[in-house]
Amino acid sequence: MNNYPLKLLVLFFALILTSCSSNETEIVDNTPELSTTISEKSIEADILDLINDYRVNNGFSSLSKLQVIKSQTNNHTNYMVEKNEVSHDFFYQRKEYLVENANAVSVAENVAYGYSTAESVVSAWIKSDGHKHNIEGDYTHFDITAEKSTDGKWYFTNIFVK
């Protein structure tokens, strides 16, 4: 039997219980499987604002945050921090979760690591055709998680949903 999801859940709770940040807003994820509180960091809010600013300035509609996305960005970012590498591992599972729990008809994901500011990560995504395509895509909602590893490197998972 594969205990990976259980291990990931335990890691998730450990990180939530031991992490803190100065500019945090409480977000509650009321998915059927789990009801948790995930704190939004100021860098996350800044990234979402920059993406929406970019979209509006380029003729696209702004996106709204959707709580159910946060659990998926959080789990994947913590997974990348644990593995110490950026990846899209298990994207299909995140997508299926959002199809089932957010009635998503399309899902896209941007990941990154090593950037230290909201401006630098968004700028890098806009300079990359694939990431830019996701930012400019026909989506209605999004969310992001940014997490620092023990060596001080930031990891990011940004998911877009329609």
Side-chain angles (χ1 to χ4, degrees):
M1 182 172 171
N2 183 357
N3 287 330
Y4 182 73
L6 180 60
K7 290 178 184 176
L8 199 71
L9 184 62
V10 170
L11 173 65
F12 171 74
F13 280 117
L15 287 170
I16 293 298
L17 293 174
T18 60
S19 66
C20 63
S21 178
S22 56
N23 293 324
E24 296 183 344
T25 305
E26 295 294 316
I27 298 173
V28 178
D29 180 4
N30 290 318
T31 57
E33 295 82 11
L34 181 64
S35 180
T36 61
T37 300
I38 301 172
S39 298
E40 181 181 68
K41 297 169 190 70
S42 61
I43 192 171
E44 295 168 343
D46 292 346
I47 290 168
L48 297 179
D49 288 343
L50 287 168
I51 289 172
N52 267 338
D53 289 348
Y54 173 86
R55 286 179 59 90
V56 169
N57 290 335
N58 287 280
F60 302 98
S61 61
S62 64
L63 304 176
S64 300
K65 290 188 341 181
L66 186 63
Q67 290 177 321
V68 69
I69 298 171
K70 189 69 170 183
S71 66
Q72 299 306 295
T73 61
N74 195 62
N75 290 343
H76 186 62
T77 302
N78 288 331
Y79 168 81
M80 292 190 302
V81 167
E82 181 181 305
K83 291 201 52 119
N84 198 31
E85 66 182 46
V86 68
S87 76
H88 290 284
D89 293 354
F90 310 109
F91 173 71
Y92 182 76
Q93 291 173 348
R94 289 186 292 287
K95 178 184 175 189
E96 286 303 307
Y97 178 89
L98 292 167
V99 166
E100 291 175 17
N101 293 284
N103 298 319
V105 294
S106 60
V107 178
E109 174 178 87
N110 285 349
V111 295
Y113 75 102
Y115 297 95
S116 58
T117 65
E119 293 81 6
S120 63
V121 71
V122 172
S123 176
W125 281 336
I126 290 170
K127 291 176 184 171
S128 162
D129 288 340
H131 295 104
K132 181 179 178 180
H133 178 76
N134 291 341
I135 289 172
E136 294 179 347
D138 183 21
Y139 299 105
T140 55
H141 294 86
F142 67 161
D143 214 327
I144 190 164
T145 295
E147 196 65 55
K148 237 184 211 185
S149 64
T150 55
D151 63 357
K153 187 183 339 179
W154 282 99
Y155 287 80
F156 306 89
T157 304
N158 182 203
I159 293 180
F160 303 86
V161 172
K162 177 177 183 182

